[in-house]
Amino acid sequence: MEYIETLGLNAKNAAPLLAKTGAGVKNEMLREIADSISANKERIILANNIDIENAKKNGMSEAMLDRLTLTEKRISAMVEGIEKVISLDDPIGEVIGGGELKNGLRIVKKRVPIGVIGIIFESRPNVTVDAMALCFKAGSAVILRGGSDAINSNKALVNIMRDAMKEYKNCVQLVEDTSHETAEKLMKLNKYVDLLIPRGGGRLIHTVIEKATIPVIQTGEGNCHVYVDESADVDMAVNIVNNAKTQRPSVCNAIESILVHENIADEFFKRLSEVWKGKVKIRGDEETAKRVEVEKIADDNDYATEFLDYRLSSKVVKSVDEAIMHINKFGTGHSECIVTKSLENAEKFQREIDAAAVYVNASTRFTDGFEFGLGAEIGISTQKLHARGPMGLNELTSYKYLINGNGQIRG
Amino acid sequence: MEYIETLGLNAKNAAPLLAKTGAGVKNEMLREIADSISANKERIILANNIDIENAKKNGMSEAMLDRLTLTEKRISAMVEGIEKVISLDDPIGEVIGGGELKNGLRIVKKRVPIGVIGIIFESRPNVTVDAMALCFKAGSAVILRGGSDAINSNKALVNIMRDAMKEYKNCVQLVEDTSHETAEKLMKLNKYVDLLIPRGGGRLIHTVIEKATIPVIQTGEGNCHVYVDESADVDMAVNIVNNAKTQRPSVCNAIESILVHENIADEFFKRLSEVWKGKVKIRGDEETAKRVEVEKIADDNDYATEFLDYRLSSKVVKSVDEAIMHINKFGTGHSECIVTKSLENAEKFQREIDAAAVYVNASTRFTDGFEFGLGAEIGISTQKLHARGPMGLNELTSYKYLINGNGQIRG
């Protein structure tokens, strides 16, 4: 049996035990994992050091090195993440529908685990722990395939978790062979894996969509916009644009583009320039360029780009309809915002924009499982199947129908 | 632009108008379609005659010819199907969650259309009308790709529908080029299509899963079992097995296999033989063959086969655990049944069987959108993502979050 098939089979065989384990035992197990990670900080950091040295030799950028680096503080944050998951209600077993049919059949629609979830992710080793804790609480075994850059850190983390998990240890599998061939085989492991979640940049996501035969949930691509309507409060608009762009530019719910109504453009760009003082580079259309310094004149490629940096694209528009058309063309279906005083335009924008989260007068940065009160988040879905927007524990479950009768047959 | 891309773009461009159309207008439009189909019965039957003549020339089997044939009565049934859909509540706009956050943000989680749905199906032309009516009511444009056998019937039906639909006519697109190449391109049309639903046999479904890059919902493969527990009421068991196998053997919720506890096997097979009198052929293990006439000794291939005929596989088992293991190995996750008087075994079976619908003491034939009270059905999902079991209008929708604030930014 091939390497990846063995991992798949192990996870598949481990899933039924976990599926019938109640919240109490799952929480105890998560507690054990958290304690074990706390007790093994040194070992984790030593393993991480190897990854960092290798990465330095390979010329990894400072920003990427920072994402890869584990410190005592970051490991404590992982442990806190597990504790947060422990505190959440167990979604499994919740009755979400049902009733009695005329023929006396009693139907209960009940939340059940998905089974085996594959997570394919890039450098950040904290995903190893976060994803495992969420999937475990949601009753599913997990196969983790992190990047080769973080393989030593991931091995250390997974070994520590598995040792703490006793009879549940096969509920977490790490793909230690980080070749592309093995990753591609994982994407086609329908026999053992029920769901695949890629976490990372657009390239990773599109590779998974292209290659996978397992159902995929697309997460985290965010070409998000703020549209500043004619009737906007300019202070509020500048404040929201500034927050949505600069509070944390590297995340998917940060904005990448602004659309400004022509009748408010002069005042808006004047005030925005006063706030940004060149801190954020703008790629704008000719009308933007008349009002503010631009890095270059924007083309469609710029409008389609997720910069994840102190840079955005800009366009002056003639109407809310033009803004909506532009967003539905270039957006990734993540988070979109209108700043307006017009009830009509607010409602039109929320109705016609095709995205997971559509804001009126608030920063797109709120699209987040914690902010939305889901308690946790495995990612933000930008597709319309299964789950859309922030995915918490409920979104990591399936359901089944239990039907009880006393001999009913169909006539 | 390629042929299939043009269809995709047409559907995608038509979807926003439909998405914002209320139930009243959608129902009027469905009424127009129903009336127009009624008024054009002759034209439909003439077109269908061409398909039937071609099929006869190509040596199509009687059973398949029957599925292909449209009669006045069958066309009336299509019209009644549309009327049923008209009578259903509109799922779009339903508020399915939400609340107010501490920071004052107001969140509304609202049901919205999926967008564009592709349906790939085989000979039966009634799917053309059924699928279109359901998708339309659920607010989504639909691209229909039926089999080449039914192309003349499908063209007539779609042309009649489109003529009745005026400005909504692009909400239904028929793929008139029924080549495999075009079908494969449709499966990768992520830019325009949000969801693909294959309706047909296992081969079609697996081709779609293999080739598609668009999210797929797997429907309709049903290798369903009845397990007759040691404590079963034998009359009830025979009655349920007989109904689940013979009431309509060609459908996905009919059973294909029986598992019988060894302590009840003598009596059960004796009574079953009295009822069936050889009407149903049995492929059984050695223990079955000791008790009833078998067509052949069953192998794993038989246990994995969906016969869709007066034939099933059989195995004598030593325990409910063995039955559960067998079903979770060979089942397709559709509908499974235990006949028992034991509460413990009933609960164990419902907890541990991994299927969309798990029955205690009732025929698997009830797994159906109408029977479950969903009012309609586009198919029965055998996967765990998005929807499991019968899919009605709600299961043909997505949702989005609408968030209203008064200038909130993230700290």
Coordinates of all heavy atoms in Angstrom, one line a residue, chain B residues 337-367:
Chain B
C337 N -31.0 0.1 6.8 CA -32.0 -0.3 7.7 C -31.7 -1.4 8.6 O -31.0 -2.4 8.2 CB -33.3 -0.6 6.9 SG -34.6 -1.4 7.9
I338 N -32.1 -1.3 9.9 CA -32.0 -2.5 10.8 C -33.4 -2.9 11.2 O -34.3 -2.0 11.5 CB -31.2 -2.2 12.1 CG1 -31.1 -3.4 13.0 CG2 -31.7 -1.0 12.8 CD1 -30.1 -3.2 14.2
V339 N -33.8 -4.1 11.2 CA -35.0 -4.6 11.7 C -34.7 -5.3 13.0 O -33.9 -6.3 13.1 CB -35.8 -5.6 10.8 CG1 -37.2 -5.9 11.3 CG2 -35.9 -4.9 9.4
T340 N -35.2 -4.8 14.1 CA -34.8 -5.3 15.4 C -35.9 -4.9 16.5 O -36.7 -4.0 16.3 CB -33.5 -4.6 15.9 OG1 -33.0 -5.3 17.1 CG2 -33.6 -3.1 16.1
K341 N -35.8 -5.7 17.6 CA -36.6 -5.3 18.8 C -35.6 -4.8 19.9 O -36.1 -4.3 20.9 CB -37.4 -6.5 19.3 CG -38.6 -6.8 18.5 CD -39.3 -8.0 19.1 CE -40.4 -8.6 18.2 NZ -40.6 -10.0 18.4
S342 N -34.3 -4.8 19.6 CA -33.4 -4.4 20.6 C -33.1 -3.0 20.5 O -32.6 -2.5 19.5 CB -32.1 -5.2 20.4 OG -31.0 -4.6 21.0
L343 N -33.4 -2.2 21.6 CA -33.1 -0.8 21.7 C -31.6 -0.6 21.5 O -31.1 0.3 20.8 CB -33.6 -0.2 23.0 CG -33.3 1.2 23.2 CD1 -34.0 2.1 22.2 CD2 -33.7 1.7 24.6
E344 N -30.8 -1.4 22.2 CA -29.3 -1.2 22.2 C -28.8 -1.4 20.7 O -28.0 -0.5 20.3 CB -28.7 -2.3 23.0 CG -27.2 -2.1 23.2 CD -26.6 -3.2 24.0 OE1 -27.3 -4.0 24.7 OE2 -25.3 -3.3 24.0
N345 N -29.3 -2.4 20.0 CA -28.8 -2.6 18.7 C -29.3 -1.5 17.7 O -28.6 -1.1 16.8 CB -29.1 -4.0 18.1 CG -28.3 -5.1 18.8 OD1 -27.4 -4.8 19.6 ND2 -28.6 -6.3 18.6
A346 N -30.5 -1.1 17.9 CA -31.1 0.0 17.1 C -30.2 1.2 17.2 O -29.8 1.9 16.3 CB -32.5 0.3 17.5
E347 N -29.9 1.6 18.5 CA -29.2 2.8 18.7 C -27.7 2.7 18.2 O -27.2 3.6 17.6 CB -29.2 3.2 20.2 CG -30.5 3.6 20.7 CD -30.6 4.1 22.1 OE1 -29.6 3.8 22.9 OE2 -31.6 4.7 22.5
K348 N -27.2 1.5 18.4 CA -25.8 1.3 17.9 C -25.8 1.5 16.4 O -24.9 2.1 15.8 CB -25.4 -0.1 18.3 CG -23.9 -0.5 18.0 CD -23.7 -1.9 18.3 CE -22.3 -2.4 18.3 NZ -21.3 -1.7 19.2
F349 N -26.7 0.8 15.7 CA -26.8 0.9 14.3 C -27.0 2.3 13.8 O -26.2 2.7 12.9 CB -28.0 0.0 13.8 CG -28.0 -0.3 12.3 CD1 -27.4 -1.4 11.8 CD2 -28.8 0.5 11.5 CE1 -27.4 -1.7 10.4 CE2 -28.9 0.2 10.1 CZ -28.2 -0.9 9.6
Q350 N -27.8 3.0 14.4 CA -28.1 4.4 13.9 C -26.9 5.3 14.2 O -26.6 6.2 13.4 CB -29.3 5.0 14.6 CG -30.6 4.4 14.0 CD -31.8 5.1 14.3 OE1 -32.0 5.5 15.5 NE2 -32.7 5.3 13.4
R351 N -26.2 5.0 15.3 CA -25.0 5.8 15.6 C -23.8 5.5 14.7 O -23.1 6.4 14.2 CB -24.6 5.6 17.1 CG -23.6 6.6 17.6 CD -23.4 6.4 19.1 NE -23.1 5.0 19.5 CZ -23.7 4.3 20.3 NH1 -24.8 4.7 20.9 NH2 -23.3 3.0 20.5
E352 N -23.6 4.2 14.4 CA -22.4 3.8 13.8 C -22.4 3.7 12.3 O -21.4 3.7 11.6 CB -21.8 2.5 14.4 CG -21.5 2.8 15.9 CD -20.9 1.5 16.6 OE1 -20.4 0.6 15.9 OE2 -20.9 1.5 17.8
I353 N -23.6 3.5 11.7 CA -23.7 3.5 10.3 C -23.5 4.8 9.7 O -24.1 5.8 10.1 CB -25.1 2.9 9.8 CG1 -25.2 1.4 10.1 CG2 -25.4 3.2 8.4 CD1 -24.4 0.5 9.2
D354 N -22.6 4.9 8.7 CA -22.3 6.2 8.1 C -23.1 6.3 6.8 O -22.6 6.0 5.7 CB -20.8 6.2 7.8 CG -20.2 7.5 7.4 OD1 -20.9 8.5 7.5 OD2 -19.1 7.5 6.9
A355 N -24.3 6.8 6.9 CA -25.1 7.0 5.7 C -26.1 8.2 5.9 O -26.3 8.6 7.0 CB -26.0 5.7 5.5
A356 N -26.6 8.6 4.8 CA -27.5 9.8 4.9 C -28.8 9.5 5.7 O -29.2 10.3 6.4 CB -27.9 10.2 3.4
A357 N -29.4 8.3 5.5 CA -30.6 7.9 6.2 C -30.5 6.6 6.8 O -30.1 5.6 6.1 CB -31.8 8.0 5.2
V358 N -30.6 6.5 8.1 CA -30.5 5.2 8.8 C -31.8 4.9 9.5 O -32.3 5.6 10.4 CB -29.3 5.3 9.9 CG1 -29.0 3.9 10.4 CG2 -28.1 5.9 9.2
Y359 N -32.4 3.8 9.1 CA -33.8 3.4 9.5 C -33.7 2.3 10.6 O -32.9 1.4 10.5 CB -34.5 2.8 8.3 CG -34.9 3.8 7.3 CD1 -34.0 4.2 6.3 CD2 -36.1 4.4 7.2 CE1 -34.3 5.1 5.3 CE2 -36.4 5.4 6.3 CZ -35.5 5.7 5.3 OH -35.8 6.6 4.4
V360 N -34.7 2.4 11.5 CA -35.0 1.3 12.4 C -36.5 0.9 12.0 O -37.4 1.7 12.1 CB -34.9 1.7 13.9 CG1 -35.5 0.7 14.8 CG2 -33.5 2.1 14.2
N361 N -36.6 -0.4 11.6 CA -38.0 -0.9 11.4 C -38.8 -0.2 10.4 O -40.0 0.1 10.6 CB -38.7 -1.1 12.7 CG -38.0 -2.0 13.7 OD1 -37.3 -2.9 13.2 ND2 -38.2 -1.8 15.0
A362 N -38.2 0.2 9.3 CA -39.0 0.8 8.2 C -38.2 0.7 6.9 O -37.0 0.5 6.9 CB -39.3 2.3 8.5
S363 N -39.0 0.7 5.8 CA -38.4 0.5 4.5 C -37.5 1.6 4.0 O -37.8 2.8 4.2 CB -39.5 0.3 3.4 OG -39.0 0.3 2.1
T364 N -36.4 1.3 3.4 CA -35.5 2.3 2.9 C -36.1 3.2 1.8 O -35.6 4.2 1.4 CB -34.2 1.7 2.3 OG1 -34.6 0.8 1.3 CG2 -33.4 1.0 3.4
R365 N -37.2 2.7 1.2 CA -37.9 3.4 0.1 C -38.4 4.7 0.5 O -38.8 5.5 -0.3 CB -39.0 2.5 -0.4 CG -38.5 1.3 -1.2 CD -38.2 1.6 -2.6 NE -39.4 2.0 -3.4 CZ -39.6 3.3 -3.8 NH1 -38.6 4.2 -3.6 NH2 -40.7 3.6 -4.5
F366 N -38.4 5.1 1.8 CA -38.9 6.4 2.2 C -37.9 7.5 2.0 O -38.2 8.7 2.2 CB -39.3 6.3 3.7 CG -40.6 5.5 3.9 CD1 -40.6 4.3 4.5 CD2 -41.8 6.1 3.5 CE1 -41.8 3.6 4.7 CE2 -43.0 5.3 3.7 CZ -43.0 4.1 4.3
T367 N -36.6 7.2 1.7 CA -35.7 8.3 1.5 C -36.0 9.0 0.2 O -35.6 8.5 -0.9 CB -34.2 7.7 1.5 OG1 -34.0 6.9 2.7 CG2 -33.2 8.8 1.4

